[in-house]
Amino acid sequence: MKELNANECLLTRMQEMSLDYHFTVEQEVGSATHAFFGFNGTAGVWRIAAINEAGGWKDRTTVEDMDLAVRASLRGWKFLYLGDLQVKSELPSTFKAFRFQQHRWSCGPANLFRKMVMEIVRNKKVRFWKKVYVIYSFFFVRKIIAHMVTFSFYCVVLPLTILVPEVKVPIWGAVYIPSVITILNSVGTPRSIHLLFYWILFENVMSLHRTKATLIGLLETGRANEWVVTEKLGNTLQKAADAKKSNPKAPRKLRFKFTERINTLELGFSAFLFLCGCYDFVNGKNSYFIYLWLQTVTFLITGIGYVGTII
């Protein structure tokens, strides 16, 4: 997949890193090992027989493409990923649009897991170990636990351990292992390696929203079936620039009010992490305040809605 606006802003650059890893590593490996991997809905080609045998498209969740892929896989169909073929796509370049997209991408799989787990268990057409892989690895670990562990450990547990001196988190568990995993995740986008550290901090922020969306999907409450079309600007910015050059006196488009950018949840965690960092600076021994203050800044940037700054 070729992202046309990857260089538009910091937000799109970080999305490019995540998606390049997803396609270059996860999808390629899944295809090469003939293991199950989710259908993304982007430039995919289906056999009509596979769709019909799987039961057709269903709108019971907001990830109908993944739903169909799981059902087809359980009936013996296999998917082939062609990494040498590229299609053009566009990334959301505003934080508001990105949040809605990530809510759907996190809530949908969790909701699908809730509705399909027993269907997978009772299926007699696939081997036991494939059931284990789909339930445990594909759904439980990657779609549910991964978000919760990231958020609970880095945004809740680690800051709170500073307030309880008796609890110590080993440096290898807090820094070394997660850093190595994140570096490996960036192999698909070597040109953005300099953004790696901020990408880690930003992913910690997004784990908050992904965890919330995952719980909504699992419990099937509130916004479980919410579908908001992801806003993408296309060539709107270029057209606006061209129009301004041709007609300098043309009326300017109204900007968003500052209050419309405010995200109170992020600002609340920003304040919490800042206070924990201050406490560690005064009384701590592990110098975790450096990480906490950097994470505070990241939560603050997203809290005021300016993560999409042009670079």
Side-chain angles (χ1 to χ4, degrees):
M1 188 172 71
K2 181 177 178 58
E3 299 89 359
L4 296 177
N5 64 330
N7 292 322
E8 185 174 334
C9 62
L10 181 59
L11 178 62
T12 55
R13 287 289 292 272
M14 291 186 293
Q15 290 179 70
E16 180 191 32
M17 294 176 72
S18 298
L19 291 174
D20 282 352
Y21 171 78
H22 172 66
F23 286 108
T24 306
V25 179
E26 294 179 337
Q27 300 294 69
E28 287 275 12
V29 172
S31 176
T33 59
H34 301 290
F36 171 76
F37 64 96
F39 174 71
N40 297 93
T42 302
V45 178
W46 277 84
R47 290 183 180 274
I48 296 178
I51 297 177
N52 292 335
E53 188 177 337
W57 289 87
K58 295 183 179 180
D59 59 357
R60 58 180 175 173
T61 69
T62 56
V63 285
E64 70 284 352
D65 49 358
M66 183 183 294
D67 185 355
L68 178 60
V70 174
R71 286 185 279 114
S73 179
L74 294 177
R75 285 162 177 77
W77 290 90
K78 295 182 179 180
F79 301 88
L80 179 65
Y81 178 76
L82 303 178
D84 56 336
L85 296 180
Q86 290 189 340
V87 294
K88 297 178 180 180
S89 65
E90 185 181 357
L91 303 170
S93 52
T94 65
F95 186 55
K96 180 180 179 181
F98 182 64
R99 282 181 62 182
F100 278 122
Q101 181 197 66
Q102 293 302 299
H103 173 85
R104 185 173 73 250
W105 287 5
S106 300
C107 179
N111 191 230
L112 181 62
F113 174 72
R114 170 193 172 102
K115 294 180 177 179
M116 286 204 69
V117 61
M118 294 310 300
E119 180 180 341
I120 297 172
V121 170
R122 291 192 293 263
N123 188 284
K124 298 180 180 180
K125 294 185 178 181
V126 296
R127 294 174 299 174
F128 171 77
W129 289 113
K130 185 171 184 178
K131 295 180 183 180
V132 173
Y133 172 79
V134 175
I135 293 175
Y136 178 76
S137 180
F138 180 78
F139 274 115
F140 189 67
V141 174
R142 292 166 55 193
K143 306 300 181 183
I144 298 175
I145 294 300
H147 308 317
M148 296 182 180
V149 169
T150 300
F151 168 68
S152 60
F153 182 74
Y154 284 102
C155 299
V156 179
V157 174
L158 192 60
L160 289 179
T161 58
I162 294 171
L163 306 179
V164 185
E166 294 78 12
V167 178
K168 293 184 179 180
V169 179
I171 192 82
W172 58 264
V175 179
Y176 297 152
I177 292 180
S179 297
V180 171
I181 294 174
T182 305
I183 291 173
L184 293 176
N185 287 355
S186 67
V187 296
T189 319
R191 77 185 188 97
S192 297
I193 195 70
H194 63 289
L195 299 176
L196 183 60
F197 188 74
Y198 185 76
W199 182 44
I200 296 174
L201 298 174
F202 180 71
E203 284 296 298
N204 289 344
V205 174
M206 291 310 302
S207 68
L208 165 64
H209 298 288
R210 291 168 183 150
T211 297
K212 183 176 71 172
T214 298
L215 292 175
I216 291 174
L218 281 176
L219 301 176
E220 203 167 25
T221 61
R223 299 165 57 196
N225 296 312
E226 178 185 73
W227 180 280
V228 177
V229 177
T230 304
E231 180 186 17
K232 298 177 181 178
L233 300 181
N235 58 353
T236 303
L237 296 177
Q238 185 61 44
K239 287 182 178 179
D242 295 340
K244 186 176 181 180
K245 289 180 180 179
S246 60
N247 186 10
K249 297 182 179 181
R252 295 182 178 180
K253 183 180 178 180
L254 293 176
R255 296 182 178 181
F256 289 109
K257 294 181 180 179
F258 178 75
T259 53
E260 295 178 358
R261 292 178 173 269
I262 294 296
N263 300 302
T264 55
L265 196 57
E266 286 90 339
L267 291 178
F269 265 94
S270 176
F272 165 68
L273 294 173
F274 177 72
L275 293 176
C276 290
C278 292
Y279 184 88
D280 184 61
F281 179 74
V282 175
N283 303 302
K285 298 179 181 180
N286 297 320
S287 298
Y288 282 150
F289 66 89
I290 299 174
Y291 156 73
L292 291 173
W293 284 345
L294 289 172
Q295 191 68 72
T296 294
V297 172
T298 309
F299 267 103
L300 180 62
I301 292 173
T302 55
I304 59 178
Y306 280 98
V307 72
T309 305
I310 301 297
I311 59 173

Short mmCIF file of all heavy atoms in Angstrom, two decimals, residues 65-95:
data_model
loop_
_atom_site.label_atom_id
_atom_site.label_comp_id
_atom_site.label_asym_id
_atom_site.label_seq_id
_atom_site.Cartn_x
_atom_site.Cartn_y
_atom_site.Cartn_z
N ASP A 65 -15.13 -6.79 6.89
CA ASP A 65 -14.10 -7.45 6.08
C ASP A 65 -13.37 -8.53 6.90
O ASP A 65 -13.12 -9.63 6.42
CB ASP A 65 -13.11 -6.44 5.52
CG ASP A 65 -12.59 -5.46 6.58
OD1 ASP A 65 -13.02 -5.55 7.75
OD2 ASP A 65 -11.75 -4.61 6.23
N MET A 66 -13.05 -8.21 8.15
CA MET A 66 -12.41 -9.20 9.03
C MET A 66 -13.37 -10.34 9.35
O MET A 66 -12.97 -11.51 9.42
CB MET A 66 -11.95 -8.53 10.32
CG MET A 66 -11.22 -9.46 11.28
SD MET A 66 -10.77 -8.65 12.84
CE MET A 66 -9.59 -7.44 12.26
N ASP A 67 -14.63 -10.01 9.54
CA ASP A 67 -15.65 -11.01 9.82
C ASP A 67 -15.70 -12.04 8.70
O ASP A 67 -15.66 -13.26 8.93
CB ASP A 67 -17.00 -10.30 9.98
CG ASP A 67 -18.11 -11.24 10.40
OD1 ASP A 67 -17.88 -12.46 10.49
OD2 ASP A 67 -19.24 -10.76 10.64
N LEU A 68 -15.76 -11.56 7.47
CA LEU A 68 -15.82 -12.46 6.31
C LEU A 68 -14.54 -13.28 6.19
O LEU A 68 -14.58 -14.48 5.89
CB LEU A 68 -16.04 -11.65 5.03
CG LEU A 68 -16.07 -12.44 3.72
CD1 LEU A 68 -17.19 -13.46 3.75
CD2 LEU A 68 -16.23 -11.49 2.54
N ALA A 69 -13.39 -12.66 6.47
CA ALA A 69 -12.11 -13.36 6.35
C ALA A 69 -12.02 -14.50 7.36
O ALA A 69 -11.55 -15.60 7.03
CB ALA A 69 -10.96 -12.38 6.56
N VAL A 70 -12.47 -14.27 8.60
CA VAL A 70 -12.43 -15.32 9.61
C VAL A 70 -13.34 -16.46 9.23
O VAL A 70 -12.96 -17.65 9.30
CB VAL A 70 -12.83 -14.76 10.99
CG1 VAL A 70 -12.93 -15.88 12.02
CG2 VAL A 70 -11.80 -13.73 11.47
N ARG A 71 -14.54 -16.15 8.78
CA ARG A 71 -15.49 -17.20 8.40
C ARG A 71 -14.99 -18.01 7.20
O ARG A 71 -15.15 -19.23 7.15
CB ARG A 71 -16.86 -16.59 8.10
CG ARG A 71 -17.59 -16.15 9.36
CD ARG A 71 -18.99 -15.65 9.08
NE ARG A 71 -19.01 -14.27 8.60
CZ ARG A 71 -19.38 -13.88 7.39
NH1 ARG A 71 -19.78 -14.80 6.50
NH2 ARG A 71 -19.37 -12.61 7.05
N ALA A 72 -14.37 -17.33 6.24
CA ALA A 72 -13.83 -18.03 5.07
C ALA A 72 -12.66 -18.93 5.47
O ALA A 72 -12.52 -20.06 4.99
CB ALA A 72 -13.39 -17.03 4.01
N SER A 73 -11.83 -18.44 6.38
CA SER A 73 -10.69 -19.24 6.86
C SER A 73 -11.16 -20.49 7.58
O SER A 73 -10.57 -21.57 7.44
CB SER A 73 -9.82 -18.38 7.78
OG SER A 73 -8.74 -19.13 8.28
N LEU A 74 -12.22 -20.37 8.35
CA LEU A 74 -12.75 -21.52 9.08
C LEU A 74 -13.35 -22.57 8.15
O LEU A 74 -13.57 -23.71 8.56
CB LEU A 74 -13.80 -21.06 10.09
CG LEU A 74 -13.29 -20.19 11.25
CD1 LEU A 74 -14.45 -19.75 12.14
CD2 LEU A 74 -12.26 -20.96 12.07
N ARG A 75 -13.61 -22.17 6.93
CA ARG A 75 -14.14 -23.12 5.94
C ARG A 75 -13.06 -23.61 4.98
O ARG A 75 -13.36 -24.18 3.93
CB ARG A 75 -15.30 -22.48 5.18
CG ARG A 75 -16.56 -22.41 6.03
CD ARG A 75 -17.56 -21.41 5.49
NE ARG A 75 -18.79 -21.40 6.28
CZ ARG A 75 -18.91 -20.83 7.47
NH1 ARG A 75 -17.88 -20.21 8.02
NH2 ARG A 75 -20.05 -20.86 8.13
N GLY A 76 -11.79 -23.33 5.35
CA GLY A 76 -10.68 -23.92 4.60
C GLY A 76 -10.06 -23.04 3.54
O GLY A 76 -9.08 -23.43 2.92
N TRP A 77 -10.60 -21.86 3.31
CA TRP A 77 -10.03 -20.98 2.31
C TRP A 77 -8.76 -20.32 2.83
O TRP A 77 -8.65 -20.01 4.02
CB TRP A 77 -11.04 -19.90 1.91
CG TRP A 77 -12.20 -20.43 1.12
CD1 TRP A 77 -13.38 -20.89 1.61
CD2 TRP A 77 -12.26 -20.59 -0.30
NE1 TRP A 77 -14.19 -21.32 0.59
CE2 TRP A 77 -13.53 -21.14 -0.60
CE3 TRP A 77 -11.38 -20.32 -1.34
CZ2 TRP A 77 -13.93 -21.42 -1.90
CZ3 TRP A 77 -11.78 -20.59 -2.65
CH2 TRP A 77 -13.05 -21.14 -2.91
N LYS A 78 -7.79 -20.11 1.94
CA LYS A 78 -6.53 -19.49 2.32
C LYS A 78 -6.35 -18.19 1.54
O LYS A 78 -6.84 -18.05 0.42
CB LYS A 78 -5.35 -20.44 2.06
CG LYS A 78 -5.39 -21.69 2.93
CD LYS A 78 -4.20 -22.58 2.68
CE LYS A 78 -4.25 -23.82 3.58
NZ LYS A 78 -3.09 -24.71 3.36
N PHE A 79 -5.60 -17.28 2.15
CA PHE A 79 -5.39 -15.96 1.56
C PHE A 79 -3.94 -15.82 1.10
O PHE A 79 -3.02 -16.37 1.71
CB PHE A 79 -5.71 -14.86 2.57
CG PHE A 79 -7.12 -14.89 3.07
CD1 PHE A 79 -7.46 -15.66 4.17
CD2 PHE A 79 -8.12 -14.17 2.43
CE1 PHE A 79 -8.75 -15.70 4.64
CE2 PHE A 79 -9.42 -14.21 2.89
CZ PHE A 79 -9.75 -14.97 4.00
N LEU A 80 -3.74 -15.07 0.04
CA LEU A 80 -2.41 -14.83 -0.50
C LEU A 80 -2.17 -13.32 -0.54
O LEU A 80 -2.96 -12.57 -1.10
CB LEU A 80 -2.28 -15.42 -1.91
CG LEU A 80 -0.93 -15.21 -2.61
CD1 LEU A 80 0.18 -15.95 -1.85
CD2 LEU A 80 -1.01 -15.70 -4.05
N TYR A 81 -1.07 -12.89 0.06
CA TYR A 81 -0.72 -11.46 0.08
C TYR A 81 0.38 -11.20 -0.94
O TYR A 81 1.42 -11.84 -0.93
CB TYR A 81 -0.25 -11.06 1.47
CG TYR A 81 0.16 -9.60 1.56
CD1 TYR A 81 -0.80 -8.60 1.62
CD2 TYR A 81 1.51 -9.24 1.58
CE1 TYR A 81 -0.42 -7.26 1.70
CE2 TYR A 81 1.88 -7.91 1.67
CZ TYR A 81 0.92 -6.93 1.72
OH TYR A 81 1.29 -5.61 1.79
N LEU A 82 0.14 -10.25 -1.84
CA LEU A 82 1.11 -9.90 -2.87
C LEU A 82 1.72 -8.54 -2.53
O LEU A 82 1.17 -7.49 -2.84
CB LEU A 82 0.42 -9.84 -4.25
CG LEU A 82 -0.30 -11.13 -4.68
CD1 LEU A 82 -0.97 -10.94 -6.03
CD2 LEU A 82 0.69 -12.31 -4.74
N GLY A 83 2.87 -8.59 -1.88
CA GLY A 83 3.51 -7.37 -1.42
C GLY A 83 4.11 -6.53 -2.51
O GLY A 83 4.37 -5.33 -2.31
N ASP A 84 4.35 -7.12 -3.69
CA ASP A 84 4.97 -6.35 -4.77
C ASP A 84 3.96 -5.53 -5.55
O ASP A 84 4.33 -4.71 -6.40
CB ASP A 84 5.72 -7.28 -5.72
CG ASP A 84 4.82 -8.39 -6.28
OD1 ASP A 84 3.81 -8.72 -5.62
OD2 ASP A 84 5.12 -8.92 -7.36
N LEU A 85 2.66 -5.71 -5.27
CA LEU A 85 1.63 -4.89 -5.91
C LEU A 85 1.23 -3.78 -4.96
O LEU A 85 0.93 -4.04 -3.79
CB LEU A 85 0.41 -5.74 -6.26
CG LEU A 85 0.62 -6.84 -7.30
CD1 LEU A 85 -0.67 -7.60 -7.54
CD2 LEU A 85 1.15 -6.26 -8.62
N GLN A 86 1.22 -2.55 -5.44
CA GLN A 86 0.90 -1.41 -4.59
C GLN A 86 -0.35 -0.71 -5.08
O GLN A 86 -0.59 -0.60 -6.28
CB GLN A 86 2.06 -0.41 -4.56
CG GLN A 86 3.30 -0.91 -3.82
CD GLN A 86 4.32 0.19 -3.62
OE1 GLN A 86 4.32 1.20 -4.31
NE2 GLN A 86 5.21 -0.01 -2.66
N VAL A 87 -1.14 -0.24 -4.11
CA VAL A 87 -2.32 0.56 -4.42
C VAL A 87 -2.23 1.87 -3.65
O VAL A 87 -1.62 1.93 -2.58
CB VAL A 87 -3.63 -0.17 -4.04
CG1 VAL A 87 -3.82 -1.40 -4.88
CG2 VAL A 87 -3.62 -0.53 -2.56
N LYS A 88 -2.80 2.90 -4.20
CA LYS A 88 -2.74 4.21 -3.57
C LYS A 88 -3.80 4.31 -2.46
O LYS A 88 -4.91 3.81 -2.60
CB LYS A 88 -2.97 5.31 -4.61
CG LYS A 88 -1.89 5.35 -5.68
CD LYS A 88 -2.19 6.43 -6.71
CE LYS A 88 -1.11 6.46 -7.79
NZ LYS A 88 -1.37 7.51 -8.80
N SER A 89 -3.42 4.95 -1.39
CA SER A 89 -4.36 5.15 -0.29
C SER A 89 -4.04 6.49 0.38
O SER A 89 -3.00 7.10 0.12
CB SER A 89 -4.26 4.01 0.73
OG SER A 89 -2.99 4.03 1.35
N GLU A 90 -4.93 6.91 1.26
CA GLU A 90 -4.73 8.18 1.96
C GLU A 90 -4.95 7.97 3.45
O GLU A 90 -5.81 7.19 3.86
CB GLU A 90 -5.72 9.23 1.44
CG GLU A 90 -5.49 10.61 2.06
CD GLU A 90 -6.49 11.63 1.55
OE1 GLU A 90 -7.31 11.28 0.68
OE2 GLU A 90 -6.46 12.77 2.03
N LEU A 91 -4.15 8.65 4.24
CA LEU A 91 -4.22 8.54 5.69
C LEU A 91 -4.98 9.73 6.27
O LEU A 91 -4.88 10.84 5.74
CB LEU A 91 -2.81 8.52 6.28
CG LEU A 91 -1.89 7.41 5.77
CD1 LEU A 91 -0.46 7.66 6.24
CD2 LEU A 91 -2.37 6.05 6.24
N PRO A 92 -5.73 9.52 7.34
CA PRO A 92 -6.37 10.66 8.01
C PRO A 92 -5.31 11.59 8.58
O PRO A 92 -4.37 11.15 9.22
CB PRO A 92 -7.21 10.01 9.12
CG PRO A 92 -6.57 8.67 9.34
CD PRO A 92 -6.03 8.24 8.02
N SER A 93 -5.46 12.88 8.34
CA SER A 93 -4.43 13.85 8.74
C SER A 93 -4.87 14.75 9.87
O SER A 93 -4.17 15.71 10.21
CB SER A 93 -3.99 14.69 7.54
OG SER A 93 -5.11 15.27 6.90
N THR A 94 -6.03 14.46 10.48
CA THR A 94 -6.46 15.20 11.67
C THR A 94 -6.62 14.21 12.81
O THR A 94 -7.00 13.05 12.60
CB THR A 94 -7.80 15.94 11.45
OG1 THR A 94 -8.84 14.98 11.23
CG2 THR A 94 -7.70 16.87 10.25
N PHE A 95 -6.32 14.66 14.01
CA PHE A 95 -6.38 13.76 15.17
C PHE A 95 -7.80 13.28 15.42
O PHE A 95 -8.01 12.13 15.83
CB PHE A 95 -5.81 14.46 16.40
CG PHE A 95 -5.68 13.57 17.59
CD1 PHE A 95 -4.98 12.38 17.51
CD2 PHE A 95 -6.26 13.91 18.81
CE1 PHE A 95 -4.85 11.54 18.61
CE2 PHE A 95 -6.15 13.09 19.91
CZ PHE A 95 -5.44 11.89 19.81
#
